[in-house]
Amino acid sequence: MKILHYLDAIRLTDGGTVRAVIDLCTVMAQQGLDVRLLTRDDSDIPEAWSRDTPIAVHRVIGSKVWPRIASESIAEVDAAVRDADLVHLHVPWDPLCVALARRARSLGKPYVLTPHGMLDQWSLAQKPLKKRLFLATFGRRLLGDAARIHYTARAEAEQCMHWHAPSQAVVVPLVTDLASYRSLPGDQPAKNAWPFLFTGDPLLVFLSRLHYKKGIETLIEAAALLGRQGAAFRLAIAGNGDAAYVAKLKHLIKIRNLDQCVHVLGFAAGVEKISLLQAADVFVLPTSQENWGYVLVEAMASGTPVVTTKGVDIWPELENSGGAEICQSVPEELCRVISYLLENEQRRTSMGKRGREWVLEALKEPHVAAQYRRMYADVLGE
């Protein structure tokens, strides 16, 4: 089975969608599929693809504002599409997705489209006029002619089903590379990197892109409420973001008199990141919208209880696993849930254990890869 993927740019700084495509391509190639990738920007293609995992990468040139493949790329794109059994497109707003869908139709190749949360109600409310115009024109055909619209969670599909025929929808979770979480490093790497976090007080951790949709201000306000209630804790905020926004967060921390217990760490990665997640007493992500929320899965895989919101499309799965508390993204509610968990060590331990077990079993790579293989085979009538 030959699968051709397309994503605009493979830059790890662009977030979860890039990781989703990298992990999916890697695991499906390891499972024996012939996997290829079209992209404009291959900046962060994994080195292992050329060394260990045979995945061909093709550069494609086209307009960023109009669905047109540049003439110098047409021959290479056509050859790649002709050679594929199926084309898998990622993110609907990219004009080249429209052009590639058109090319696939003309060459008689079916395609699958994964929105990656871009059709969620919250996402559509951002720059709504532009997105509604796209959906009313190019997007209608892009969605309507897809063999399948692939959603990563039932809650995502329920928000988006009115944009296409229900028969097109299929729900398959994202592939998550869990290799680094099967044997955890303990808290020492985090202690070495950030010794000021480890004072004996309970540790709360937020780790994600620093962006207003993540609810960081809400978390800081909840931390202020915890402090006024007399709770002792440390809150670590890890991640990169726009400099002006990070400065705004630091100012809020200062005016709420939280300088001694709330720390903005910057970017965390590798073994230090896993160690920080494992060391946390509670992981908190009060987000407005996440399609998958890799870091929630990673925190649970680290054995840490999670607090998040219904803004995460997989919130029912997280809640049913027993490893997560779901609450509203308002300071008072967030404070109440965090306070409850900090006062109940047995509850935290139970949640951490159940969440880790669920992730390592329900999301293990071969199991999820088999679901993708079935989806592709169904489209191809195999």
Side-chain angles (χ1 to χ4, degrees), residues 159-177:
Q159 294 180 66
C160 310
M161 205 79 79
H162 58 283
W163 292 112
H164 56 81
S167 60
Q168 292 174 277
V170 61
V171 176
V172 179
L174 287 182
V175 172
T176 304
D177 184 356

Side-chain angles (χ1 to χ4, degrees), residues 15 22 46 72 75 79 94-95 97 104 114 119 122 129 134 146 175 219 223 227 232 239 253 297 312 321 359 373:
I22 288 175
E72 57 264 44
D94 181 1
C97 263
T114 302
L119 295 176
W122 187 92
L129 181 60
F134 176 87
V175 172
L219 177 54
I253 292 167
V297 172
V312 182
S321 76
V359 169
R373 187 185 284 272

Side-chain angles (χ1 to χ4, degrees), residues 261-325:
C261 61
V262 179
H263 306 275
V264 179
L265 305 184
F267 187 67
V271 69
E272 289 81 10
K273 167 189 166 181
I274 299 171
S275 178
L276 180 64
L277 292 174
Q278 185 183 2
D281 291 283
V282 181
F283 180 85
V284 190
L285 182 67
T287 184
S288 297
Q289 190 274 334
E290 302 288 327
N291 169 233
W292 182 254
Y294 272 113
V295 73
L296 297 168
V297 172
E298 291 170 337
M300 291 171 68
S302 302
T304 299
V306 160
V307 175
T308 190
T309 71
K310 290 186 178 181
V312 182
D313 287 336
I314 61 169
W315 73 264
E317 290 88 341
L318 298 180
E319 187 175 54
N320 291 337
S321 76
E325 293 277 359

Side-chain angles (χ1 to χ4, degrees), residues 205-224:
V205 171
F206 167 98
L207 193 155
S208 189
R209 181 166 57 104
L210 302 189
H211 186 274
Y212 75 91
K213 84 168 186 175
K214 305 287 185 176
I216 310 169
E217 290 96 334
T218 302
L219 177 54
I220 293 170
E221 297 291 1

Side-chain angles (χ1 to χ4, degrees), residues 5 16 21 30 42 115 120 191 242 292 332 345:
H5 291 266
V21 174
Q30 291 169 349
D42 58 359
D120 281 8
K191 286 181 176 178
D242 176 75
W292 182 254
E332 295 77 12
E345 182 178 359

